[in-house]
Amino acid sequence: MKYLKRTLIFAFLLLIIFLTYVEFGGRYILSHDDRRVITVTIRSTPELPQNFTSFYSIIYKNSLTKNSWNYNLKVLLGQNNISECPCREMAFRIFPSMDIKNKNSLDYFLVTRYLEQNYNQTDCLNFNFSNFDFLENRKGIEKVSKSLFDKDIKDLTSLEIAEVIALYENPVKNNRIRYPDRALARTKYFHELYLKNLNKK
């Protein structure tokens, strides 16, 4: 019993050390230059208008208030969706360019937690949509908004935002020219989900 107690205490201490590393390890594995690039990139990214962020937060409930721990819990419960955690998605996009030796999945999570501790999910959402390649020479949401609707983002209707979200989900298969039926179906799905969740408020 004495040895079992010591073993449990030791295991508990190891768990605490591991969780502490997971929470704060990002600042140590990221170089000064990488941290500076992240800061400059986020600060220089234009903010998405309220109509868009509201739509996003309604179809992906709590996505702008929860973090990657919540996402991983959903993974364990079989309810995961990468679009529900903007900072996790941003980490996925910037991770290949980071100066980290022997990159692995734990490092990826450390970068995600670093983003969440120093910025917020809305900052990451701004980055994701401003830098996403919608294909056909349309990098960033501003270009795709002009290309599809000849409008600024702030003037998009909820149905038009739904189409942008669908294109963001898959810019090839949800392209209205290449696959009009699928693109329309996904647009309707996101718009109906928006209306459904909006009515629950």
Side-chain angles (χ1 to χ4, degrees):
M1 182 64 72
K2 182 178 179 181
Y3 293 107
L4 177 61
K5 185 177 180 180
R6 287 181 179 177
T7 301
L8 290 175
I9 292 174
F10 181 70
F12 180 74
L13 289 175
L14 285 179
L15 178 62
I16 294 298
I17 292 171
F18 175 74
L19 291 176
T20 301
Y21 175 70
V22 168
E23 278 297 288
F24 304 105
R27 70 181 63 183
Y28 300 108
I29 67 168
L30 288 169
S31 68
H32 173 75
D33 288 341
D34 282 340
R35 295 197 301 272
R36 182 174 57 82
V37 167
I38 290 172
T39 299
V40 171
T41 300
I42 287 182
R43 288 180 178 175
S44 62
T45 299
E47 291 185 10
L48 291 166
Q50 185 64 39
N51 63 326
F52 189 89
T53 55
S54 294
F55 186 98
Y56 187 93
S57 64
I58 289 172
I59 62 171
Y60 296 117
K61 292 182 178 180
N62 303 316
S63 59
L64 301 183
T65 56
K66 301 295 184 180
N67 59 37
S68 52
W69 285 113
N70 181 260
Y71 170 87
N72 287 322
L73 178 60
K74 286 189 174 185
V75 170
L76 293 175
L77 297 176
Q79 303 172 354
N80 61 305
N81 187 319
I82 192 170
S83 297
E84 292 180 354
C85 184
C87 284
R88 183 181 185 278
E89 190 169 348
M90 178 179 173
F92 176 78
R93 297 186 186 285
I94 67 173
F95 190 63
S97 65
M98 298 290 97
D99 184 22
I100 301 173
K101 294 181 179 179
N102 303 317
K103 293 185 177 86
N104 55 57
S105 56
L106 177 58
D107 291 335
Y108 167 44
F109 187 70
L110 296 182
V111 173
T112 302
R113 289 300 297 145
Y114 173 82
L115 291 173
E116 291 172 338
Q117 289 164 359
N118 291 276
Y119 310 98
N120 57 51
Q121 296 289 353
T122 302
D123 292 330
C124 295
L125 186 71
N126 293 336
F127 171 88
N128 293 337
F129 276 88
S130 294
N131 291 277
F132 185 76
D133 189 354
F134 290 91
L135 304 183
E136 299 178 4
N137 197 30
R138 301 178 300 191
K139 186 173 182 180
I141 189 172
E142 291 183 5
K143 283 190 176 181
V144 80
S145 179
K146 287 288 187 182
S147 173
L148 292 176
F149 314 110
D150 194 25
K151 290 182 178 180
D152 291 331
I153 311 166
K154 63 182 177 60
D155 297 321
L156 296 180
T157 66
S158 58
L159 186 60
E160 290 166 342
I161 293 175
E163 183 171 352
V164 172
I165 296 287
L167 199 59
Y168 180 79
E169 178 188 54
N170 192 319
V172 175
K173 292 184 177 180
N174 295 341
N175 183 297
R176 60 159 73 166
I177 303 299
R178 297 182 183 182
Y179 303 98
D181 292 339
R182 177 185 165 89
L184 180 60
R186 293 307 291 168
T187 297
K188 284 185 176 180
Y189 166 78
F190 285 117
H191 192 247
E192 289 172 1
L193 180 61
Y194 166 76
L195 295 176
K196 177 182 176 182
N197 291 346
L198 186 64
N199 291 331
K200 287 182 179 180
K201 280 193 167 185

